[in-house]
């Protein structure tokens, strides 16, 4: 597939909505309260219901290739640990600042950007591999990030990590939507017509609203210094991680083409917006987190186009 085709069919419409949201936010046609309200609707209501309905009606595979999950998140965890060490050695960051750097290098923007991109590129057939990643990333990485940040404050990581992990699994609305939808599917229960229609309408609003909310939210973040660390984070997340995942998928995992394509595209997503939110919450490496999030999203227009063009699976 030519890069021009990838840009026209997938990247342009998806990032076009992000840019529209960014412009509206930058012009302050929506204030922070309005953007937050839209984000709460998307992430607490629309996307969990989209995940529930999709998993309830999709054709589930007979067996799950767990090497898919192990390969991706095993690599991402290695990047997290390596980048935690790199930030301390290369930039002399504190443990808390290093945690923000490592999180940004290994945590992708799965919810607002990954879901629209994958579904636009590959359709509903990609729902199962896509939602498996969505279900696992936050419960796996949030406890790590919380443990590092709280450990930097309290001097102890192990106890914090266990508590954060349990809380993260219980409170994750995306995981709940996916699991409940899968249970309905396994039980062979059909959703009542009116209920399915309501879920379908809400689900159709999730993708454009998520993209718009992402752009509007980014307009409130500032490129405010710490460029060496931020640019390094962007290069690792946008280039090094997807290349590593691609090599692992290509040579070691033996996945079906669709699963491999979803895996690589998800790896190519920009720095997750939660990188900045965690940095702000713990008042640590805020400039790095904000700058990297904005730059990485802009750079991903090119890098994702290249990935889509290089993938062998037709759109």
């Amino acid at each position: 597939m030519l890069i021009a085709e990838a840009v026209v069919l997938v990247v342009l419409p998806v990032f076009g909505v992000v840019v529209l949201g960014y412009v509206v936010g930058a012009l302050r046609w929506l204030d922070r309260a309005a953007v937050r309200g839209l984000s709460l609707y998307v992430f607490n209501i629309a996307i969990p219901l989209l995940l529930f309905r999709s998993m309830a009606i999709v054709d589930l595979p007979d067996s799950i290739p767990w090497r898919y999950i192990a390969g991706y998140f095993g690599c991402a965890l290695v990047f997290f640990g390596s980048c935690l060490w790199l930030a301390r050695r290369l930039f002399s960051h504190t443990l808390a600042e290093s945690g923000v750097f490592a999180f940004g290098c290994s945590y992708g923007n799965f919810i607002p950007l990954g879901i629209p991109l994958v579904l636009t590129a590959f359709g509903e057939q990609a729902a199962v591999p896509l939602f498996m990643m969505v279900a696992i990333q936050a419960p796996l990485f949030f406890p790590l990030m919380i443990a590092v940040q709280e450990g930097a404050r309290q001097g102890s990581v192990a106890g914090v990590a266990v508590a954060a992990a349990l809380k993260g699994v219980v409170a994750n609305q995306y995981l709940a939507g996916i699991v409940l939808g899968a249970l309905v599917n396994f039980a062979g229960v059909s959703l009542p017509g009116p209920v399915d229609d309501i879920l379908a309408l809400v689900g159709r609003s999730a993708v454009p609203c998520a993209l718009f909310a992402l752009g509007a939210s980014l307009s409130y973040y500032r490129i405010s210094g710490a460029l060496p660390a931020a640019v390094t984070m962007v290069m690792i997340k946008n280039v090094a991680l997807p290349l590593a995942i691609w090599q692992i998928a290509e040579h070691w995992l033996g996945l079906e083409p669709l699963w491999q394509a979803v895996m690589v595209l998800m790896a190519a997503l920009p720095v997750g917006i939660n990188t900045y939110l965690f940095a702000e919450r713990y008042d640590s490496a805020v400039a790095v987190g904000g700058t990297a999030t904005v730059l990485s999203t802009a750079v991903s227009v090119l890098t994702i186009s290249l990935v889509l063009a290089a993938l062998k699976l037709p759109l």
Side-chain angles (χ1 to χ4, degrees):
M1 179 180 56
L2 299 176
I3 187 172
E5 184 181 0
V7 171
V8 171
L9 293 179
V10 180
V11 177
L12 184 60
V14 168
F15 280 93
V17 180
V18 176
V19 171
L20 177 61
Y22 188 93
V23 171
V24 169
L27 294 174
R28 298 303 183 253
W29 291 348
L30 290 179
D31 60 16
R32 276 188 179 272
V35 174
R36 174 169 170 75
L38 178 60
S39 297
L40 288 174
Y41 163 73
V42 169
F43 301 125
N44 291 347
I45 299 172
I47 287 181
L49 291 181
L50 167 67
L51 298 175
F52 169 78
R53 179 178 182 270
S54 297
M55 289 303 293
I57 65 175
V58 74
D59 291 329
L60 295 174
D62 295 331
S63 61
I64 300 297
W66 292 108
R67 60 189 182 280
Y68 168 79
I69 294 298
Y72 182 92
F73 288 108
C75 181
L77 288 172
V78 169
F79 266 70
F80 182 92
S82 301
C83 293
L84 191 68
W85 174 85
L86 179 66
R88 305 201 73 175
R89 294 297 297 266
L90 187 61
F91 302 111
S92 300
H93 283 175
T94 64
L95 177 60
E97 292 168 338
S98 299
V100 173
F101 181 86
F103 187 85
C105 290
S106 52
Y107 186 95
N109 219 341
F110 278 17
I111 301 295
L113 196 52
I115 291 176
L117 270 172
V118 171
L119 293 180
T120 301
F122 307 126
E124 291 295 331
Q125 62 179 342
V128 174
L130 168 64
F131 295 156
M132 285 180 65
M133 283 203 173
V134 169
I136 292 174
Q137 181 179 235
L140 180 64
F141 276 91
F142 278 21
L144 277 177
M145 183 60 165
I146 293 170
V148 169
Q149 297 300 325
E150 294 294 341
R153 288 180 174 181
Q154 303 174 16
S156 175
V157 173
V160 174
V162 173
L166 293 174
K167 182 179 179 181
V169 171
V170 171
N172 189 279
Q173 66 270 36
Y174 310 123
L175 182 60
I178 291 167
V179 170
L180 291 174
L183 290 175
V184 169
N185 195 315
F186 283 128
V189 177
S190 297
L191 297 174
V195 173
D196 186 60
D197 291 341
I198 292 171
L199 293 176
L201 283 172
V202 174
R204 283 197 290 272
S205 75
V207 168
C209 288
L211 294 170
F212 188 92
L214 171 62
S217 298
L218 287 175
S219 72
Y220 283 92
Y221 303 163
R222 291 288 175 262
I223 297 178
S224 55
L227 276 176
V231 170
T232 303
M233 187 191 299
V234 172
M235 292 300 296
I236 292 173
K237 181 66 193 72
N238 288 58
V239 180
L241 180 61
L243 285 176
I245 293 290
W246 200 327
Q247 290 302 307
I248 290 171
E250 186 78 19
H251 298 294
W252 291 352
L253 300 182
L255 297 170
E256 294 180 8
L258 175 64
W259 288 67
Q260 179 172 318
V262 171
M263 185 180 189
V264 174
L265 183 55
M266 295 295 275
L269 292 171
V271 172
I273 201 168
N274 282 303
T275 302
Y276 175 78
L277 299 179
F278 269 119
E280 194 174 51
R281 173 181 174 182
Y282 287 100
D283 193 23
S284 178
V286 176
V288 175
T291 300
T293 300
V294 175
L295 288 179
S296 181
T297 303
V299 169
S300 69
V301 176
L302 173 60
T303 53
I304 287 174
S305 298
L306 293 172
V307 167
L308 286 170
L311 288 171
K312 297 176 182 178
L313 194 69
L315 299 184

